[in-house]
């Protein structure tokens, strides 16, 4: 549609002094008076050529049908043109008047296609063809940004009650860090140690991002076990004044222990 075509009338016989009349039959309009007719119809049209030589009684005529096939219109789009790795773009083909497709110079069914792309800049070219081989092209530009990788470790792991827990960032490709920890929320690469006062299960989370706006997170579940200590006094004063009259050990988090007492000469008492 919209392209020019040439119709040529060829006549023989008669007196040779020919006159021509081209008529568009749809509307009955005369569109030319020469043997050749330049046309650009927007739809399929039937033309009639009538020839006279001024003497011959018969006026030969001929119909010709010019079939118009619409030009293909290539339309390729996606919902998002900038994503973080690993990226998935759904390429949607909204082309019209096409019977054949090529995507990046490869034959293509024309169906919506999912592209899984790594970091980089990509150009996707869709070329469409109609039944006559006329073509149109649609190009979209996609960019995939690198994503950071979150990660961290703790020491000791697992911690016990009243342990001082230190954090080490193991992330890569990050420009910003956010920590969500039992002792508060923090920003930055380093974070204050955590005094694990409470036993039980605790949740630790690190969220990292980069200057491209890409994110990643790492989570850790930590079970703080009961701590233990053993206090053995080195002296006592059994003078019945109510202060330090009894020699007594203090234990925490220990189920069983064996206590042996020796005198100054190394004899067990």
């Amino acid at each position: 549609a919209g392209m020019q075509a040439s119709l040529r009338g060829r006549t023989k016989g008669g007196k040779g002094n020919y006159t021509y009349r081209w008529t568009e039959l749809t509307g009955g309009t005369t569109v030319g008076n020469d043997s050749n007719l330049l046309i650009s119809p927007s739809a399929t049209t039937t033309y009639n050529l009538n020839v006279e030589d001024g003497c011959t009684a018969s006026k030969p005529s001929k119909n010709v049908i010019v079939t118009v096939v619409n030009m293909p219109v290539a339309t390729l789009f996606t919902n998002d043109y900038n994503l973080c790795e690993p990226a998935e773009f759904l390429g949607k083909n909204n082309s019209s008047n096409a019977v054949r497709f090529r995507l990046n110079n490869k034959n293509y069914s024309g169906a919506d296609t999912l592209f899984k792309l790594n970091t980089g800049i990509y150009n996707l070219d869709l070329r469409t063809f109609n039944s006559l081989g006329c073509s149109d092209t649609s190009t979209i530009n996609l960019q995939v940004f690198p994503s950071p990788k979150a990660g961290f470790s703790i020491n000791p792991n697992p911690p016990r009650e009243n342990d001082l827990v230190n954090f080490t960032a193991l992330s890569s490709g990050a420009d910003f860090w956010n920590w969500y920890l039992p002792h508060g929320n923090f920003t930055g690469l380093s974070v204050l140690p955590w005094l694990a006062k409470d036993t039980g299960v605790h949740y630790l989370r690190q969220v990292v991002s980069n200057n491209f706006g890409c994110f990643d997170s790492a989570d850790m579940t930590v079970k703080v076990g009961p701590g233990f200590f053993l206090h053995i006094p080195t002296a006592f004063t059994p003078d019945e004044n109510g202060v330090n009259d009894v020699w007594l050990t203090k234990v925490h988090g220990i189920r069983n222990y064996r206590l042996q007492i020796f005198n100054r000469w190394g004899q067990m008492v």
Side-chain angles (χ1 to χ4, degrees):
M3 297 181 64
Q4 288 188 333
S6 178
L7 301 180
R8 296 181 180 181
R10 294 291 181 263
T11 309
K12 63 181 180 179
K15 297 295 184 178
N17 187 22
Y18 306 120
T19 60
Y20 299 88
R21 182 165 62 92
W22 292 91
T23 305
E24 182 184 309
L25 292 186
T26 303
T29 304
T30 298
V31 291
N33 298 102
D34 191 39
S35 60
N36 297 333
L37 178 67
L38 191 64
I39 60 173
S40 56
S42 59
T44 297
T45 305
T46 301
Y47 296 90
N48 173 263
L49 174 61
N50 182 271
V51 182
E52 298 182 30
D53 65 356
C55 295
T56 306
S58 63
K59 298 179 180 180
S61 67
K62 186 73 173 181
N63 291 341
V64 59
I65 299 174
V66 177
T67 301
V68 175
V69 178
N70 289 328
M71 285 289 293
V73 178
T75 305
L76 179 66
F77 73 98
T78 185
N79 291 335
D80 201 333
Y81 295 84
N82 300 283
L83 289 177
C84 299
E85 186 184 23
E88 291 187 351
F89 295 90
L90 181 60
K92 298 182 178 181
N93 179 11
N94 264 17
S95 303
S96 58
N97 307 322
V99 297
R100 185 165 62 90
F101 307 89
R102 288 181 68 82
L103 185 63
N104 283 2
N105 294 320
K106 294 182 179 179
N107 289 331
Y108 158 58
S109 68
D112 293 349
T113 302
L114 186 66
F115 300 95
K116 297 182 179 182
L117 303 174
N118 295 321
T119 300
I121 298 175
Y122 301 86
N123 299 319
L124 299 181
D125 296 309
L126 173 65
R127 191 175 184 188
T128 60
F129 301 84
N130 65 12
S131 58
L132 299 180
C134 302
S135 66
D136 188 33
T137 301
S138 176
T139 301
I140 60 176
N141 301 313
L142 308 176
Q143 185 166 9
V144 181
F145 299 112
S147 292
K149 182 66 176 177
F152 64 95
S153 65
I154 64 172
N155 183 42
N157 188 15
R160 289 187 174 273
E161 184 182 11
N162 291 316
D163 277 349
L164 192 63
V165 181
N166 292 291
F167 296 83
T168 300
L170 302 177
S171 54
S172 61
D175 299 301
F176 309 98
W177 297 260
N178 289 276
W179 303 80
Y180 304 93
L181 305 173
H183 60 310
N185 299 336
F186 303 89
T187 59
L189 180 61
S190 60
V191 63
L192 293 175
W194 164 43
L195 180 60
K197 293 182 179 180
D198 300 319
T199 60
V201 176
H202 299 269
Y203 300 97
L204 319 177
R205 182 176 178 86
Q206 179 199 66
V207 178
V208 299
S209 61
N210 60 20
N211 289 319
F212 299 110
C214 301
F215 290 82
D216 191 32
S217 62
D219 297 277
M220 184 183 298
T221 301
V222 174
K223 184 176 183 180
V224 177
F228 59 88
F229 67 85
L230 173 63
H231 175 68
I232 303 175
T234 58
F236 73 109
T237 56
D239 54 8
E240 298 183 359
N241 66 351
V243 179
N244 201 26
D245 288 328
V246 180
W247 187 85
L248 181 67
T249 61
K250 293 183 179 181
V251 297
H252 177 75
I254 300 175
R255 292 184 179 180
N256 300 292
Y257 68 97
R258 187 175 70 170
L259 176 63
Q260 293 177 315
I261 302 176
F262 297 84
N263 62 21
R264 68 178 66 185
W265 297 283
Q267 297 171 331
M268 186 170 64
V269 298

